[in-house]
Amino acid sequence: MSPRTKEQNEAIREMRMHQIMQAAAEVYLEKGIQLEIRDVAAKAALGYGTVYHYYKNKYMLLEDLLWDALYRAESAVGAALAVEGGGLQKAESFARLLLQQCIQDPSVFILLKTVADNFHHFPGNRFSKLLAEFQGRIYQPFVAWIGESSVSSSPEKTANLIFGSLVGCAALNIHHDRRGELDAEGVMDMIFSGIQPKER
């Protein structure tokens, strides 16, 4: 049997890290910040040493998980840029895509919830760069679209209300094992119909 190539080793490494991060997301949903590396190893059906080889502590693992979630969230909502219409249509499409991604990918939900909680479970200031990137890539474009629409005198306040609604709706379904039951279209219709300008 010939030794593995560098490419094969890299593919195995990527597969293992994906397996570990998926398990970490599931464990985080169950235990929150109390998760331990051994819990993740058990969920991933890997040896403790294998997981420890990739991540020396849970904070390193969670940091990777959240950065990966940021890239996936950004990729998922990219389709909103192609939506025809004004800022409100783009914002609604963006919010709908983000809610759908939260339900399909627990790590994106964990990212949004952690940002909403201002990373208060995490020690030190290690997530300040991640927060700044989230603001620039996800939050500020959303606020700008709402601002373009003139539906609110405070676009940031409206954006916070919508993000809070997304996190709350996703949490209710995720924590009660009803991921497949969330009607993202209906939720977004309800939220955005509530922020439309009232006819006088």
Side-chain angles (χ1 to χ4, degrees):
M1 187 176 197
S2 60
R4 287 194 296 251
T5 66
K6 184 179 176 186
E7 290 77 19
Q8 288 170 323
N9 283 333
E10 186 58 29
I12 290 168
R13 181 180 171 281
E14 289 292 321
M15 183 186 74
R16 279 280 178 263
M17 290 180 76
H18 179 71
Q19 185 180 4
I20 291 166
M21 283 197 279
Q22 276 190 312
E26 292 298 329
V27 173
Y28 190 90
L29 291 178
E30 295 166 10
K31 296 189 168 195
I33 199 66
Q34 302 305 316
L35 77 80
E36 295 296 336
I37 294 287
R38 71 184 73 259
D39 302 324
V40 175
K43 181 69 83 175
L46 294 170
Y48 173 77
T50 301
V51 177
Y52 189 77
H53 170 74
Y54 290 97
Y55 296 104
K56 301 301 181 211
N57 62 57
K58 67 183 177 183
Y59 297 110
M60 290 173 68
L61 172 54
L62 289 170
E63 189 168 0
D64 256 14
L65 176 84
L66 294 174
W67 275 104
D68 190 57
L70 176 63
Y71 300 134
R72 285 202 298 239
E74 185 179 31
S75 175
V77 299
L81 295 169
V83 169
E84 291 189 22
L88 194 59
Q89 286 82 8
K90 286 187 184 339
E92 185 172 353
S93 174
F94 179 97
R96 182 177 284 110
L97 291 165
L98 195 56
L99 180 56
Q100 288 167 345
Q101 191 68 17
C102 278
I103 297 304
Q104 293 166 7
D105 183 347
S107 65
V108 172
F109 165 71
I110 293 166
L111 171 68
L112 292 184
K113 176 124 178 39
T114 305
V115 167
D117 292 342
N118 201 26
F119 297 95
H120 79 274
H121 292 300
F122 296 91
N125 220 6
R126 71 187 301 153
F127 291 95
S128 57
K129 185 170 186 227
L130 176 63
L131 179 59
E133 290 294 317
F134 177 86
Q135 295 283 344
R137 295 176 185 198
I138 305 287
Y139 183 73
Q140 290 304 330
F142 186 65
V143 171
W145 285 331
I146 292 170
E148 283 174 26
S149 69
S150 305
V151 296
S152 171
S153 59
S154 176
E156 198 163 310
K157 198 179 278 188
T158 301
N160 290 342
L161 177 104
I162 294 168
F163 268 112
S165 299
L166 292 179
V167 172
C169 286
L172 284 170
N173 284 269
I174 288 170
H175 290 304
H176 295 281
D177 281 332
R178 296 193 311 242
R179 290 184 206 182
E181 296 176 28
L182 181 64
D183 174 17
E185 298 288 325
V187 168
M188 287 302 108
D189 288 346
M190 212 180 311
I191 291 171
F192 278 85
S193 67
I195 64 169
Q196 295 290 340
K198 302 285 187 264
E199 302 241 346
R200 301 217 183 247

